[in-house]
Amino acid sequence: MGSPETVRLSIAAAMTLGFRRGKFFRNAKLGCINLLMEYDRGCIANCLYCGQAKEIADGPDCRSLIRVEWPSYPLKDVIKAINASALKNRFIQRVCISSLTSPKAPEDLISIVRKVKSGTSLKVSTLITPTSFTKPHFESIKAAGVQNITIAVDAATEGLFDRLRGKGAGGPHRWDRYLKGVEEAVMVMGNGRKSVGIHLIIGLGETEEEAAGLIQRCYDMGVSVHLFSFYPENGTGLEDWTQPPIEQYRKVQLVRHLIDRGLSRFEKMKFESGALKEFGLPENELLSIVRNGKAFMTTGCTGCNRPFANETPTQAMKGLLRNYPFPPNAQDILTIEKQTEMAVS
Ligand code: SF4
């Protein structure tokens, strides 16, 4: 068995749908049910930070992804459970279907989309790779009723991309194809950044200037940027790497928020040796944005809040959340303020 008959669920989704027992820390709720495709051969790509990379995963039984296992279920049971849960839990807004890199992936993903769209009333996002998906696939995805196409570019520069995902990693992904795929997705989805996004992981060796440059480039193309903070996955090529300092992550969250809201631009910001020194707007305005807290909440397709996906439970308990899956409370804001003061001092 494998996709499209079966899919993997994140543990958070399995808990939310009642397949697994458990509660989220601080009573967080999950807004998006994440499904991952699966194949006997696994993924044919070899991204050095990913638990599914072909050189480290054992065929279909990927070691982990975002440090948790992804149990497999028949798609029809998942659709039934989504309907039952969405009726009781209005927080669930969306289903996200993530593709593996495989020549079969486009056809199977579209088949899963059709079943989820006909079996539920939720919005659907697809997380795809332009290595396997081309413009005609995007057109079929749109025709199947998908609201969002997202591309996990992950690395901020061509050099890092090539080293961690492309030729340098013995993988099939190519930077040019990814950026072309982003452009094609915008052409097909039409209404710009409401429908097309990229995933960007902070902490893969990029400078703050490089991250800000890619964020601005994406928004100028009509594409949203959804941020992730690198966390080393056991058994992967980057298992000995460390997380980026939280102060660095806070800076990039602010940069993304300011560009997203049209409050600043890359060209107005100041950098020294790659480190961000000025955000391009008056200090009092920046402080009120920090105190508002929204800049530090999870960014993604509407409703996608990925609770505690970027930190350990111990870090979360200490208040060191990277992406807040709910509005930060007064104590959280004090913590964030200190982190951002340290970031720009
Ligand atoms: S932001 Fe969330 S819903 Fe959108 S593609 Fe990424 S994981 Fe899926």
Side-chain angles (χ1 to χ4, degrees), residues 49 154-156 199-204 206 226-231:
Y49 49 88
D154 292 356
H199 284 188
L200 173 63
I201 303 177
I202 300 306
L204 291 180
E206 75 291 332
H226 312 322
L227 288 182
F228 293 70
S229 177
F230 170 75
Y231 191 96

Side-chain angles (χ1 to χ4, degrees), residues 247 251 276-277 338-345:
E247 295 78 19
K251 278 203 258 186
L276 189 139
K277 295 294 172 192
K338 277 194 204 125
Q339 292 162 344
T340 50
E341 271 165 25
M342 285 164 73
V344 285
S345 60

Side-chain angles (χ1 to χ4, degrees), residues 32 34 94-98 125-127 148-150 199 226 228 299-301 304-306:
C32 175
N34 289 89
R94 178 178 295 274
V95 178
C96 176
I97 306 162
S98 301
S125 293
T126 53
L127 181 59
N148 294 74
I149 293 181
T150 303
H199 284 188
H226 312 322
F228 293 70
T299 48
C301 307
C304 174
N305 64 340
R306 309 186 297 276

